[in-house]
Amino acid sequence: VEDDPAHVTMISVALVALLLPITVLASTVVLVRRLPAAVQSNDLDFLRSFGFIFFRYRPQAHWYILVILFRSLYVGFVPVFPAATGQIFLLQVAMLASLAVAVRVRPWRVQWLNRLDILFSFVILELLLAASLVNTVAKPHLKVVYWMSLLLVLLGVVLPVLSVLSRYWRGAEVRKCQYHLCHNQAEAGAFARWLKMELADRPQVTKAVFLDSDNL
């Protein structure tokens, strides 16, 4: 088959076609690296030309487009692996990594899109688990792969729970205070101290008053 001219032609066409996604990916990497400098220098031409790549994501997660592109390229190469079991496992690894990033970073500007991204990743993990189960029933000697797939799905459940608990614990100290005062020490130090005392004396204030110079 390797000596068939049609096979050689198909390989040549595939290699040429592969240049397009690799070029897009490399160009996006360059643009992501340039974005912080463009924002600092107020490069409006750059922002107008390439803002469509970044405007969907929070500023702290402007690089999330690379996660999507690398995931897409990775998934595109999965069918190269000959065994169906290996393909399912590789897809689960990709979706679990994507889920972990989405849970940790919450990259989308709109909050419900973050929830939707996490939900879709989890649903795909469940479907892959079902596929691995069907494959295991047909081939009992692949039970190890099934249990590994189940472990990946369980991690997909645990990660969001741990993320929520982590955010709750990190915000517990902030929730102890009812008001938060931040000021310039040289120009508003006395005023901020007076305001804290006034707030603390009011009966409506049932929690502590946070003052940066006292609590940091």
Side-chain angles (χ1 to χ4, degrees):
V1 177
E2 289 81 1
D3 297 331
D4 188 351
H7 182 72
V8 175
T9 302
M10 290 176 61
I11 293 178
S12 302
V13 172
L15 291 175
V16 173
L18 189 60
L19 294 176
L20 178 59
I22 291 179
T23 302
V24 171
L25 182 59
S27 301
T28 307
V29 171
V30 173
L31 293 175
V32 169
R33 290 176 59 88
R34 285 186 55 191
L35 179 64
V39 172
Q40 290 181 358
S41 62
N42 199 23
D43 188 347
L44 297 180
D45 291 335
F46 178 90
L47 298 177
R48 290 195 189 98
S49 300
F50 305 108
F52 69 94
I53 299 176
F54 309 106
F55 79 93
R56 299 176 182 87
Y57 313 112
R58 297 189 303 115
Q60 301 88 337
H62 65 277
W63 45 264
Y64 190 72
I65 183 63
L66 296 179
V67 175
I68 296 177
L69 292 179
F70 274 110
R71 182 183 65 189
S72 300
L73 186 63
Y74 175 91
V75 170
F77 275 103
V78 166
V80 176
F81 200 87
T85 305
Q87 293 178 3
I88 293 172
F89 182 75
L90 291 175
L91 288 174
Q92 285 180 320
V93 171
M95 293 312 303
L96 181 62
S98 177
L99 176 62
V101 174
V103 169
R104 180 67 181 86
V105 178
R106 302 295 180 94
W108 302 95
R109 285 182 179 271
V110 182
Q111 191 59 235
W112 66 267
L113 285 179
N114 289 312
R115 300 190 184 102
L116 202 62
D117 191 1
I118 294 171
L119 176 63
F120 280 170
S121 297
F122 182 72
V123 169
I124 293 174
L125 278 172
E126 291 288 346
L127 293 175
L128 290 171
L129 176 63
S132 64
L133 177 59
V134 171
N135 200 47
T136 303
V137 171
K139 301 176 182 178
H141 62 283
L142 298 177
K143 288 184 178 180
V144 174
V145 177
Y146 169 73
W147 286 110
M148 292 177 66
S149 301
L150 180 60
L151 177 61
L152 288 175
V153 173
L154 290 177
L155 286 175
V157 176
V158 171
L159 282 174
V161 174
L162 291 179
S163 176
V164 171
L165 292 176
S166 174
R167 290 172 183 271
Y168 176 82
W169 288 328
R170 283 184 296 178
E173 186 66 28
V174 175
R175 286 192 295 272
K176 292 179 181 178
C177 303
Q178 188 167 343
Y179 291 96
H180 298 78
L181 304 178
C182 181
H183 68 289
N184 183 294
Q185 185 67 30
E187 298 180 1
F191 176 76
R193 181 76 56 189
W194 170 82
L195 182 58
K196 177 180 179 179
M197 293 166 52
E198 286 292 321
L199 289 172
D201 288 339
R202 292 180 177 271
Q204 298 90 340
V205 180
T206 58
K207 297 182 181 180
V209 178
F210 177 95
L211 180 63
D212 52 2
S213 57
D214 290 344
N215 299 94
L216 292 181

